[in-house]
Amino acid sequence: MKKVALYGMYVTLAFVFSYIEHVIMPVNGIPGIKLGLANVVVVTALYIHGVRTGMFVNIVRIILAGLLFGNLFGIIYSMAGGMTSFIVMVIMKKTDRFSIKGVSVTGGVMHNIAQIAVAAVMLKTKAVFSYLPVLIIAGTIMGVLVGVISSFVVPAVKKYENI
Amino acid sequence: MGNSFEKFRKNDVYLIVILIVIGIAGLILMQAVKKQGGTVVVKVDGKVYKELKLSENQTVEIVNDKGNKNILEIKDGKVDMTYADCNNQVCVNHKKIMYNGETIICMPNDVIVEIHSDDDSNVDAVAR
């Protein structure tokens, strides 16, 4: 029962962040640039509760947000980005060579690279790769932001973990 | 473990610097191979829909199989998506494009506008 409540809270939070991003999203016409705020929740869940919870929150959020704010097309993109970035973050965390910031930076960048790759396949054009440099830089900056926020959130939430 | 949350580790800093350098190098590289494009290729559902000359001012209506509409304007050697009936308007907000290898994409309507140079060998170099 406790687990249900916990999962529900994480999913809700991630979902709210997705909504906020949906509202404030369009940034000077470069497609795909997002803050990745929902990733704070995913990273937090990963660090406190482990891979399974993080994965669960990630998948449920993507499907919910996709159905409400996007379309089936959007879900495919989000899923590719979200899953790739999550798996790479898990691997990075396992190596234990990076702090939560390094892990979330990798997540941010991989998210963007995966989405470009999916776009290239679905739209059958290589031209989308011309966005790659901008998206790598954006992913890095947003990843640092998410990592710094998470580094405050994780110890704060950890205090309540045993309730 | 507790310590790792407070500050950046050395590896984090290396990672961030390397990524930023790769990004900037990519931008510079793209700038270097940038050429004024010659042909505007419009693709719908992955197939070539129309090829237009960048030098001719014109306004073109693009309608896909599902009846969704985009309007493309070419003016003074610049290409701009001025209208789309999609819900996110990313393509309409996209800056005007004029260089070889640049694109405007309307994801919901599956419309891609690419600029190719007249000899066309440069596109792959940009896109690789």
Side-chain angles (χ1 to χ4, degrees):
Chain A
M1 194 58 208
K2 212 175 73 180
K3 223 173 184 179
V4 175
L6 189 77
Y7 278 39
M9 249 162 62
Y10 277 114
V11 169
T12 311
L13 251 183
F15 186 54
V16 168
F17 280 135
S18 295
Y19 175 68
I20 293 172
E21 276 188 6
H22 175 73
V23 174
I24 61 172
M25 196 269 216
V27 191
N28 62 35
I30 301 173
I33 292 196
K34 276 196 199 170
L35 288 172
L37 282 177
N39 209 26
V40 171
V41 183
V42 175
V43 170
T44 304
L46 169 66
Y47 266 78
I48 297 181
H49 304 283
V51 177
R52 282 182 61 181
T53 311
M55 188 67 117
F56 177 85
V57 171
N58 206 4
I59 293 176
V60 175
R61 172 194 73 88
I62 290 168
I63 294 173
L64 277 182
L67 288 176
L68 268 170
F69 313 133
N71 48 34
L72 203 65
F73 227 47
I75 293 180
I76 296 172
Y77 281 94
S78 303
M79 205 52 109
M83 287 299 106
T84 311
S85 100
F86 187 77
I87 290 164
V88 176
M89 285 199 293
V90 170
I91 295 167
M92 288 287 283
K93 183 172 174 287
K94 276 245 164 73
T95 66
D96 211 23
R97 285 165 193 275
F98 300 90
S99 79
I100 197 167
K101 288 128 184 157
V103 170
S104 91
V105 164
T106 321
V109 172
M110 285 314 294
H111 185 274
N112 290 346
I113 292 177
Q115 289 203 326
I116 292 260
V118 173
V121 173
M122 301 242 287
L123 302 170
K124 301 181 196 75
T125 173
K126 283 185 283 182
V128 287
F129 285 110
S130 60
Y131 291 113
L132 205 49
V134 178
L135 287 179
I136 287 176
I137 294 172
T140 307
I141 295 169
M142 304 314 176
V144 171
L145 188 75
V146 168
V148 170
I149 296 173
S150 304
S151 70
F152 288 109
V153 172
V154 169
V157 175
K158 238 187 173 158
K159 276 193 259 174
Y160 301 98
E161 189 192 3
N162 298 318
I163 291 173
Chain B
M1 186 92 168
N3 201 20
S4 66
F5 291 118
E6 271 107 59
K7 51 179 192 258
F8 285 86
R9 286 207 219 164
K10 226 198 285 176
N11 284 336
D12 295 339
V13 179
Y14 290 154
L15 179 72
I16 292 164
V17 170
I18 288 171
L19 286 172
I20 296 282
V21 168
I22 291 175
I24 291 173
L27 283 181
I28 293 172
L29 200 72
M30 273 170 40
Q31 207 70 30
V33 294
K34 222 176 214 184
K35 277 199 308 195
Q36 192 90 32
T39 315
V40 180
V41 179
V42 180
K43 288 184 190 169
V44 179
D45 300 321
K47 291 180 284 275
V48 175
Y49 178 86
K50 241 173 208 168
E51 288 193 15
L52 311 159
K53 275 214 155 51
L54 192 59
S55 50
E56 282 170 20
N57 289 354
Q58 53 194 310
T59 305
V60 186
E61 233 182 67
I62 304 159
V63 183
N64 74 2
D65 293 344
K66 295 174 206 126
N68 297 323
K69 202 165 86 171
N70 292 57
I71 295 176
L72 191 73
E73 193 179 276
I74 301 175
K75 203 179 168 195
D76 305 329
K78 289 177 187 165
V79 185
D80 192 20
M81 191 77 86
T82 52
Y83 172 83
D85 59 4
C86 64
N87 51 17
N88 67 17
Q89 299 292 305
V90 168
C91 59
V92 177
N93 293 325
H94 198 289
K95 67 177 166 66
K96 289 177 189 171
I97 57 173
M98 57 191 294
Y99 293 110
N100 189 12
E102 286 187 312
T103 54
I104 298 179
I105 297 169
C106 180
M107 214 90 81
N109 294 355
D110 209 348
V111 172
I112 307 173
V113 181
E114 293 175 5
I115 299 189
H116 293 187
S117 72
D118 285 331
D119 56 327
D120 214 2
S121 57
N122 217 321
V123 177
D124 287 330
V126 178
R128 189 165 290 155

